[in-house]
Amino acid sequence: MEENREQWGTKVGFILAAIGSAVGLGNIWRFPYVIYSSGGGAFLIPYFCAIFTAGIPLLILEYGMGHKFKGSTPLALSRANKKFEWFGWWSIISSSIILCYYSMILSWALKYLTFSFGKVWGEDSNEFFYKEFLKLSDSPMNIGEMVWPILIGIALIWIINWYICYNGVKSGIEKTSKLLLPCLLVIMIIIVIRGITLEGATVGLNTLFTPDWDKIKNPQIWISAYGQVFFSLSIGTGIMMTYSSYLPKKTDINNSAFMTAFANCGFEFLCAIGVFGILGAMATSQGVAVEDVATSGIGLAFIAFPKIFTIMGVWGNVLGVLFFVCLSFAGITSSVSLVEAISAAIIDKFGWKRKKVVTTLSIVGFLISTVFATNAGLYLLDIMDNFINNYGIVVVGLLEAFVIGWIVKPKTIREHTNSMSYFKIGKWWDVIIKFVTPTLLTITLIQSLIKEFKTPYGGYDLIPLLLYGWAIIALGIIGGILISKRSWKNKSEN
């Protein structure tokens, strides 16, 4: 089976696919706001600490595991220690849910791409987004009816995912990454150049990068830095182990991890410069402080930016189109990686053919995604995303570090990656995997739980939080345990 496992055509193809997975919507709409709200230039200290003490070490861990044990995440963990296969499946279940609501956000991006030609959102982008476009219901429990334009967009995204993954690793994912990643970079550079040359852009950049040294004394800022690095590198989602399992026997794993992390980091900074240049211009034109227009997430992409594009004249049309193309490309490379991580795990476990798995997954995934095309879609996304990111992915990362650090032993992975890498990692890596990463992720987890119980997330009632939040976490754990009880189709796989 291992000999038949598909491989990347080139190392560049693998790195581009890994960067494509890491570069997602979070780089564009989350990172700029995290820097700004976490001490500006001072945030770079905890951010780089997080990259070197969690980001790169965990990437090396996941690359090393996937490559050494030649399998998707559940298979690699099962081969390392049969008892821990279950949390490999937990990460796959979490990724399946992420994939379903990600398809909704990408559907919005595609729709807004068409809107940006004529600035259809009008003068009040806030009212347009919530009432006219989403037709948002009054609560998460009021599912309402289907919003057809969003459903059509979701169908289109699933067709794209299906087509790319159906064609396999080399002909599908690698080719797509080689095309979309350079395009994404060029588009973002154009947005940044235009953004920083707008009147008032320097106000935004000064706000973004002016260091607030007092803030880095706040432990919460350090936790934010680790959270950002963890989420933006696709760690704990099952993607990186799967991608590295397609690498040839001799390949420089350590260097690949550094390249992926720094490329992702560079793209994040590029986005931050462009976003805050544009926000500075908007603040100047309205005569308000940058604080009043700076926002994160969905609000930045679908409310603040359209408002800016409206007041920019012709350049607003151009930047609007480029911005939503950028969002779409970044989202597609990430959603394809999620489809691949899920498909590979199913192929390994049940011995089914790729084309059958990808087709079935795309149909079932689309059917589940339809719930996000309802009037309550945004609420469901908000609650599920919070719980999966804060509990699902963080706990999987913590368990990975624990299993490799204390049971499989870091030396096993380190010696494997060093045997084929130009750049050798020393025993410092063992210390980070055994002590530093588990400690930091445990603190992050405890902080999230304390916050959750003090004030329920987003001011929602208990019922929707139990139904769409805690139940999803329970589904991941119970589902993971049940699937791991089944034997692998091919006995040699275990």
Side-chain angles (χ1 to χ4, degrees):
M1 183 76 178
E2 285 183 26
E3 283 68 32
N4 298 333
R5 195 169 190 83
E6 238 190 306
Q7 287 192 354
W8 299 105
T10 60
K11 186 184 165 188
V12 171
F14 159 68
I15 289 173
L16 284 176
I19 294 167
S21 170
V23 168
L25 303 177
N27 300 63
I28 299 170
W29 72 31
R30 186 174 187 267
F31 181 71
Y33 190 80
V34 171
I35 289 196
Y36 151 73
S37 60
S38 305
F43 178 69
L44 301 185
I45 294 171
Y47 178 71
F48 280 111
C49 280
I51 284 176
F52 285 107
T53 60
I56 292 169
L58 276 170
L59 268 183
I60 292 171
L61 183 153
E62 294 203 351
Y63 283 178
M65 281 284 291
H67 188 262
K68 180 176 173 62
F69 296 109
K70 278 281 175 273
S72 57
T73 303
L75 177 55
L77 286 165
S78 175
R79 284 177 164 170
N81 189 310
K82 182 74 181 89
K83 287 182 196 165
F84 299 103
E85 180 194 326
W86 69 272
F87 77 80
W89 286 108
W90 183 10
S91 75
I92 295 301
I93 292 167
S94 294
S95 291
S96 305
I97 296 159
I98 292 170
L99 180 58
C100 290
Y101 64 68
Y102 216 75
S103 67
M104 172 185 71
I105 304 171
L106 285 178
S107 166
W108 298 349
L110 292 179
K111 198 66 194 155
Y112 263 68
L113 173 57
T114 64
F115 290 161
S116 54
F117 286 98
K119 297 177 186 170
V120 176
W121 48 75
E123 294 299 313
D124 191 343
S125 57
N126 191 70
E127 174 92 1
F128 176 83
F129 179 64
Y130 290 117
K131 293 198 173 168
E132 290 185 45
F133 180 59
L134 294 185
K135 297 182 171 61
L136 194 62
S137 66
D138 55 2
S139 85
M141 301 309 290
N142 179 8
I143 297 292
E145 51 193 33
M146 205 64 75
V147 182
W148 292 104
I150 295 174
L151 185 66
I152 292 164
I154 289 174
L156 184 57
I157 292 299
W158 274 106
I159 290 166
I160 293 168
N161 285 336
W162 169 80
Y163 179 77
I164 294 168
C165 292
Y166 187 85
N167 283 309
V169 173
K170 197 189 295 184
S171 305
I173 299 168
E174 186 170 337
K175 269 189 181 172
T176 306
S177 302
K178 283 180 172 175
L179 173 70
L180 292 190
L181 259 286
C183 290
L184 184 59
L185 183 62
V186 170
I187 293 167
M188 188 46 82
I189 289 169
I190 295 168
I191 291 173
V192 170
I193 291 170
R194 185 61 192 126
I196 59 174
T197 52
L198 291 168
E199 190 183 338
T202 49
V203 177
L205 296 176
N206 288 339
T207 309
L208 174 64
F209 289 118
T210 302
D212 181 350
W213 298 110
D214 282 343
K215 281 202 174 174
I216 61 166
K217 296 173 192 167
N218 180 355
Q220 194 58 48
I221 298 303
W222 288 79
I223 289 167
S224 286
Y226 279 89
Q228 176 62 29
V229 166
F230 200 74
F231 302 138
S232 78
L233 286 174
S234 295
I235 295 165
T237 56
I239 294 167
M240 294 308 186
M241 274 194 215
T242 303
Y243 272 11
S244 61
S245 74
Y246 301 134
L247 282 166
K249 278 189 176 173
K250 289 287 177 192
T251 193
D252 188 340
I253 288 175
N254 297 342
N255 200 26
S256 299
F258 277 88
M259 285 168 76
T260 306
F262 287 133
N264 179 64
C265 172
F267 188 79
E268 285 192 324
F269 277 105
L270 192 63
C271 293
I273 291 165
V275 165
F276 267 81
I278 294 170
L279 289 175
M282 181 183 179
T284 305
S285 74
Q286 294 184 347
V288 296
V290 175
E291 289 77 19
D292 296 328
V293 294
T295 180
S296 176
I298 288 159
L300 175 77
F302 298 102
I303 298 167
F305 266 37
K307 199 179 284 181
I308 298 166
F309 300 144
T310 299
I311 57 175
M312 280 177 66
V314 177
W315 260 107
N317 292 71
V318 176
L319 279 186
V321 170
L322 291 177
F323 178 74
F324 289 111
V325 166
C326 211
L327 271 191
S328 303
F329 283 4
I332 286 166
T333 54
S334 296
S335 69
V336 161
S337 65
L338 288 165
V339 172
E340 184 56 32
I342 301 159
S343 301
I346 296 168
I347 292 164
D348 285 347
K349 184 76 176 180
F350 301 102
W352 297 339
K353 297 289 181 205
R354 163 179 286 277
K355 292 184 174 179
K356 176 186 172 183
V357 170
V358 172
T359 304
T360 308
L361 175 65
S362 299
I363 293 166
V364 174
F366 167 70
L367 293 174
I368 297 170
S369 301
T370 57
V371 72
F372 294 102
T374 60
N375 300 134
L378 179 61
Y379 298 126
L380 307 188
L381 151 75
D382 191 27
I383 297 169
M384 289 181 189
D385 189 56
N386 171 66
F387 278 81
I388 287 174
N389 280 330
N390 286 335
Y391 308 111
I393 292 174
V394 168
V395 176
V396 167
L398 178 59
L399 288 168
E400 276 181 10
F402 171 75
V403 169
I404 307 308
W406 295 94
I407 293 159
V408 176
K409 303 298 181 198
K411 188 182 175 189
T412 313
I413 302 298
R414 178 165 54 85
E415 286 180 349
H416 175 76
T417 63
N418 280 351
S419 68
M420 61 194 75
S421 300
Y422 298 118
F423 174 78
K424 311 280 187 244
I425 49 169
K427 289 186 179 173
W428 59 268
W429 187 79
D430 301 27
V431 175
I432 285 172
I433 294 300
K434 280 184 87 164
F435 303 106
V436 180
T437 305
T439 304
L440 290 165
L441 291 179
T442 303
I443 293 168
T444 304
L445 186 63
I446 291 167
Q447 286 267 2
S448 293
L449 285 167
I450 291 169
K451 202 169 160 188
E452 196 72 51
F453 290 115
K454 269 188 182 172
T455 50
Y457 175 71
Y460 292 111
D461 293 335
L462 186 59
I463 300 291
L465 291 179
L466 286 172
L467 201 60
Y468 308 132
W470 293 115
I472 293 295
I473 298 300
L475 173 74
I477 296 169
I478 296 163
I481 293 168
L482 292 176
I483 299 169
S484 68
K485 299 282 183 208
R486 292 193 59 151
S487 57
W488 293 89
K489 185 71 176 170
N490 188 330
K491 292 295 181 204
S492 67
E493 287 298 298
N494 197 5

